Amino acid sequence: MASFVKVATTGELGPGQTKKVEVDGKTIALFEIGGSYHAIDDTCTHEGGPLSEGEVEGNIVTCPWHGAQFNVTNGEVVRPPAEVSVSYYRSRVNGSDIEVEL
């Protein structure tokens, strides 16, 4: 059964910022986009680039290694060379805690 786990606090992530978090053996990229928080796998499905280090424009993150793009609000591929989406994790704010569902 899935449950929500604290991964950061709202004070750790300002507008437009990204944070890499490790939880339950997973490496997750956490994004603040327009006051909402989104979490996807940090590893690009093309060749494993760190999405948390990619450039974010709107709700699209670009992998810093080969330019694949993913929508941070659902994990879907927007532009190759990646062909497979990354996992998306539901997130919520509980007080000042940012939690993701695992």
Side-chain angles (χ1 to χ4, degrees):
M1 180 176 195
S3 63
F4 281 91
V5 178
K6 177 184 174 182
V7 294
T9 64
T10 55
E12 295 177 62
L13 213 59
Q17 291 186 320
T18 305
K19 180 177 179 69
K20 175 178 147 180
V21 297
E22 306 264 344
V23 60
D24 289 351
K26 298 180 185 292
T27 304
I28 295 172
L30 185 63
F31 301 87
E32 191 286 341
I33 307 290
S36 296
Y37 298 92
H38 303 278
I40 60 174
D41 276 337
D42 188 40
T43 306
C44 178
T45 56
H46 173 242
E47 286 196 10
L51 297 178
S52 60
E53 296 177 19
E55 186 173 319
V56 180
E57 197 169 313
N59 61 345
I60 305 299
V61 63
T62 301
C63 179
W65 287 7
H66 300 107
Q69 292 184 331
F70 298 88
N71 184 327
V72 303
T73 67
N74 59 22
E76 292 181 7
V77 174
V78 175
R79 184 178 81 189
E83 297 178 359
V84 177
S85 298
V86 293
S87 293
Y88 174 80
Y89 304 93
R90 287 189 337 141
S91 62
R92 69 182 184 190
V93 176
N94 185 8
S96 63
D97 295 340
I98 303 169
E99 302 173 339
V100 296
E101 187 177 37
L102 299 178

